[in-house]
């Protein structure tokens, strides 16, 4: 059917031609107004897309004749600030210098501003990631010329400052980061108080303590008669595990809070700790004291009533040793590192004693849970030895990187009092992990395959410790040993959990429908006792 009015039939190019006409007229008006103001043409040109401008400049208008030459517009680029407008992205692209120093003392910020070159200034001719790459190259060239890079410039550019010269560049710990986040909120806000109290508990250290208690609890060789019909392998009480983790968390938080209460003056002298909540006065001393006492009492009570008195005693002892012995000894003698290692070895004993208390057949006292005559408590002491020994290859390279800060703060660490011994101690304790892993197999905690699978990570730690001992921390050996220790402990724990003694054989019996030999022996004993009666 034909349209009513044939004159309304439009060619396909009419609308597109009309759009070109409108665009051309607007550009002509902009050019005319540019005589009075140069910014009007740019504002009109920004209204149109790139494709429209290119077509308009290349086409001829039927009204104006030849094509109007359109001035080449500058290519619009995102500003570097667009990509770093929040702190989260700034941490990943290496431009978080300003935000990381805004909460530092005024003297530190002023010295940093004068000492460090402005490597974060965006170059308008480069894309943001190209500008950051250029900044890293410039900082590396400056470090090669001057012999060392400034700490802030190196941290921003991503290059290492671990040279033969002492260095004090280290990322803030979790407590400092939480305190910085709390300072951004109003003084009377709930989020500020919560972040400050959480910072007071040293959350990363507390999580490590809790995990080191949970792994021995899970690896305890539970007798088969405690197994329920719904589980594949013998299991312990989830309620006991809940009380164990809750009580251990609160006891660790109390010890860490007391530690911060004792040394706010030394925390203020070190880059990792100078922004902690008590140093920045985010919390009053009275509030911190109440927090520490409350966490200690509730945590010890949860362990006493929900687990057993032996575990509660170990949790309270850890608070006393960490806050009452280790913290004051840091100012007196380098022996403080060994006392702190004892604190690290107690949580595995807590987890082992918690599991042993559920299967205790006698009075369930500390003698039965920790010094059983049948040798069943040996696994707990082996785990405690692993955590005790791990402290040295982990802390010695860590303290070496900030040895000058420890020295300035008056904290006696081997890293600066005796660097050669510091390296020897790290190597010495790295060698004991192979026999300790063999001991777990011999004690019946893990399968013998654990000795084989744990060997590579143990050898890796020993190799890094040898480099650390040979170079005494220089030539990147401290960094290598530190990261080897960071990966070593979780890998060993996961391998031990995956190769628990008898776990896979029980799984196979459950899948194949075969009866458990331990269950048969247990029920046979019951039948014999009943016949005797």
């Amino acid at each position: 059917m034909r349209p009513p009015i044939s004159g309304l039939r439009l060619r396909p190019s009419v609308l597109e031609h009309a759009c070109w006409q409108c665009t051309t007229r607007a550009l002509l008006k902009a050019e005319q107004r540019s005589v009075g103001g140069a910014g009007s043409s740019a504002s009109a040109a920004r209204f149109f897309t790139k494709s429209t401008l290119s077509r308009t400049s290349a086409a001829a208008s039927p009204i104006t004749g030849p094509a109007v030459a359109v001035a080449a517009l500058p290519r619009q680029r995102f500003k570097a600030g667009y990509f770093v407008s929040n702190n989260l992205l700034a941490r990943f692209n290496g431009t978080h210098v300003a935000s990381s120093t805004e909460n530092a003392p005024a003297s530190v910020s002023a010295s940093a501003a004068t000492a460090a070159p402005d490597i974060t200034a965006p170059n308008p001719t480069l894309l943001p990631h190209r500008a950051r790459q250029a900044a890293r190259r410039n900082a590396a060239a400056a470090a090669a010329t001057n012999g060392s890079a400034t700490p802030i410039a190196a941290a921003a550019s991503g290059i290492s400052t671990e040279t033969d010269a002492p260095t004090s560049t280290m990322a803030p710990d979790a407590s400092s980061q939480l305190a910085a986040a709390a300072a951004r909120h109003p003084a009377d806000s709930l989020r500020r108080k919560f972040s400050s109290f959480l910072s007071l508990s040293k959350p990363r250290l507390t999580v490590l303590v809790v995990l080191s208690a949970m792994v021995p609890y899970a690896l305890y060789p539970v007798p088969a008669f405690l197994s329920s019909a719904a589980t594949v392998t013998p299991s312990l009480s989830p309620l006991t595990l809940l009380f164990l983790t809750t009580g251990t968390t609160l006891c660790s938080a109390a010890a860490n809070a007391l530690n911060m209460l004792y040394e706010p003056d030394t925390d203020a002298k070190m880059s990792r700790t100078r922004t902690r909540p008590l140093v920045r006065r985010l919390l009053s001393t009275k509030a911190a004291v109440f927090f520490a006492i409350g966490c200690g009492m509730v945590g010890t009570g949860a362990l006493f009533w929900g687990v057993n008195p032996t575990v509660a005693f170990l949790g309270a002892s850890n608070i006393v040793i960490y806050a009452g012995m280790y913290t004051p000894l840091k100012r007196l003698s380098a022996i403080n590192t060994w006392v702190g290692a004892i604190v690290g070895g107690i949580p595995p004993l807590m987890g082992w004693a918690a599991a042993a208390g559920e299967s205790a057949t006698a009075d369930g006292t500390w003698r039965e849970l920790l010094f059983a005559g049948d040798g069943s408590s040996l696994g707990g002491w082996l785990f405690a030895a692993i955590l005790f020994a791990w402290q040295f290859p982990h802390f010695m390279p860590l303290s070496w990187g900030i040895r000058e800060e420890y020295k300035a703060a008056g904290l006696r660490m081997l890293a600066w009092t005796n660097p050669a011994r510091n390296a020897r101690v790290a190597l010495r304790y790295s060698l004991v992990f192979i026999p300790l892993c063999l001991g777990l197999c011999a004690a019946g905690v893990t399968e013998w395959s654990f000795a084989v699978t744990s060997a590579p990570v143990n050898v890796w730690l020993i190799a890094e410790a040898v480099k650390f001992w040979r170079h005494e921390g220089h030539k990147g050996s401290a960094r290598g040993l530190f990261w080897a220790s960071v990966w070593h402990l979780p890998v060993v724990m996961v391998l031990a959990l995956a190769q628990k003694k008898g776990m896979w054989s029980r799984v196979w019996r459950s899948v194949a429908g075969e009866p458990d030999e331990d269950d048969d022996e247990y029920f046979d004993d019951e039948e014999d006792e009943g016949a005797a009666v």
Side-chain angles (χ1 to χ4, degrees):
M1 181 178 178
R2 289 189 176 183
I5 304 176
S6 59
L8 293 179
R9 192 181 305 165
L10 299 177
R11 295 189 303 274
S13 61
V14 170
L15 292 177
E16 186 178 4
H17 186 69
C19 292
W20 290 354
Q21 287 183 349
C22 296
T23 303
T24 306
R25 288 175 182 174
L27 290 175
L28 286 175
K29 292 180 180 180
E31 290 294 335
Q32 294 173 1
R33 288 195 299 269
S34 64
V35 179
S40 58
S41 60
S43 61
R46 281 196 299 268
F47 177 78
F48 304 100
T49 62
K50 181 179 179 181
S51 59
T52 306
L53 291 175
S54 61
R55 285 184 299 168
T56 308
S57 61
S61 172
I63 300 176
T64 58
V68 179
V70 181
L73 297 176
R75 184 177 180 182
Q76 299 296 322
R77 302 179 186 274
F78 286 112
K79 295 182 179 179
Y82 175 83
F83 298 97
V84 295
S85 58
N86 57 74
N87 293 331
L88 180 62
L89 293 178
R91 293 192 183 97
F92 290 97
N93 58 24
T95 58
H96 191 57
V97 180
S99 60
S100 62
T101 57
E102 62 183 359
N103 296 321
S107 60
V108 178
S109 301
S111 61
T114 57
D118 187 12
I119 64 173
T120 60
N123 189 343
T125 62
L126 295 176
L127 292 174
H129 69 286
R130 297 295 185 188
R132 291 192 295 272
Q133 292 174 0
R136 293 189 183 98
R137 290 193 297 269
N138 295 337
T145 303
N146 300 329
S148 62
T150 59
I152 295 180
S157 59
I159 64 173
S160 172
T161 59
E162 186 175 345
T163 60
D164 290 347
T167 177
S168 61
T169 60
M170 211 168 173
D173 58 4
S175 297
S176 300
Q177 295 175 5
L178 282 170
R184 301 189 188 103
H185 301 290
D188 55 346
S189 66
L190 182 61
R191 294 183 64 181
R192 175 167 180 158
K193 294 180 181 178
F194 177 78
S195 297
S196 300
F197 283 120
L198 186 61
S199 171
L200 205 62
S201 66
K202 297 184 182 179
R204 289 181 183 172
L205 179 59
T206 297
V207 169
L208 177 62
V209 170
V210 173
L211 291 177
S212 63
M214 292 175 63
V215 171
Y217 182 86
L219 284 171
Y220 184 83
V222 182
F225 66 83
L226 291 180
S227 175
S228 61
T231 58
V232 176
T233 59
S235 60
L236 297 170
S237 170
L239 187 61
T240 303
L241 179 62
L242 176 63
F243 276 104
L244 173 65
T245 54
T246 303
T248 306
T249 300
L250 293 176
C251 288
S252 177
N256 293 325
L258 291 173
N259 172 266
M260 289 192 191
L261 278 166
Y262 187 85
E263 50 184 15
D265 53 339
T266 56
D267 284 345
K269 298 176 182 179
M270 303 185 67
S271 59
R272 293 181 64 247
T273 58
R274 63 165 57 110
T275 57
R276 283 179 173 176
L278 292 180
V279 178
R280 303 185 63 178
R281 309 267 183 199
L282 299 178
L283 290 172
S284 64
T285 303
K286 182 185 295 185
V289 170
F290 280 122
F291 174 79
I293 295 176
C295 288
M297 294 180 63
V298 176
T300 305
L303 294 175
F304 183 86
W305 297 105
V307 187
N308 57 61
T310 301
V311 177
F313 174 78
L314 291 174
S317 300
N318 230 14
I319 298 176
V320 174
I321 296 174
Y322 187 76
M325 298 175 62
Y326 164 71
T327 303
L329 277 174
K330 291 166 70 176
R331 301 171 184 253
L332 302 177
S333 172
I335 199 68
N336 69 82
T337 306
W338 279 262
V339 178
I342 295 175
V343 176
I346 289 180
L349 278 179
M350 295 171 62
W352 192 269
E358 295 190 31
S359 59
T361 57
D363 52 0
T365 59
W366 59 273
R367 289 186 179 88
E368 182 182 5
L369 303 185
L370 298 179
F371 301 98
D374 58 355
S376 59
S377 58
L378 181 59
W381 290 102
L382 287 172
F383 275 111
I386 288 176
L387 266 295
F388 176 86
W390 178 81
Q391 310 290 327
F392 297 96
H394 177 72
F395 179 74
M396 295 311 185
L398 175 68
S399 61
W400 188 91
I402 51 175
R403 60 194 182 279
E404 291 301 322
E405 293 192 4
Y406 276 124
K407 184 177 181 180
L411 302 180
R412 302 190 63 82
M413 302 296 174
L414 281 178
W416 69 269
T417 60
N418 194 338
R421 187 187 177 194
N422 183 72
R424 289 197 305 270
V425 168
L427 175 60
R428 186 183 308 148
Y429 283 95
S430 298
L431 297 172
V432 304
F433 287 104
I434 292 180
L436 287 176
C437 291
L438 289 172
L440 287 176
C441 301
V445 179
T446 62
E447 300 287 353
W448 281 101
S449 60
F450 173 69
V452 178
T453 56
S454 62
V457 69
N458 289 331
V459 171
W460 177 36
L461 184 71
I462 294 173
E464 294 296 337
V466 169
K467 295 178 183 177
F468 183 69
W469 165 71
R470 182 178 301 169
H471 302 293
E472 293 187 4
H474 299 289
K475 298 183 179 180
S477 58
R479 188 191 306 107
L481 179 57
F482 172 76
W483 284 111
S485 67
V486 168
W487 284 101
H488 175 268
L489 185 62
V491 170
V492 168
M493 292 297 182
V494 170
L495 289 175
L497 286 170
Q499 299 169 84
K500 180 179 178 179
K501 182 70 173 181
M503 182 180 68
W504 293 108
S505 61
R506 293 179 189 275
V507 172
W508 171 252
R509 292 192 191 101
S510 177
V511 173
E514 299 178 1
D516 198 327
E517 298 176 358
D518 295 337
D519 290 338
D520 294 341
E521 293 177 1
Y522 173 71
F523 288 115
D524 290 342
D525 293 340
E526 279 192 339
E527 291 176 359
D528 294 341
E529 291 178 1
V533 173

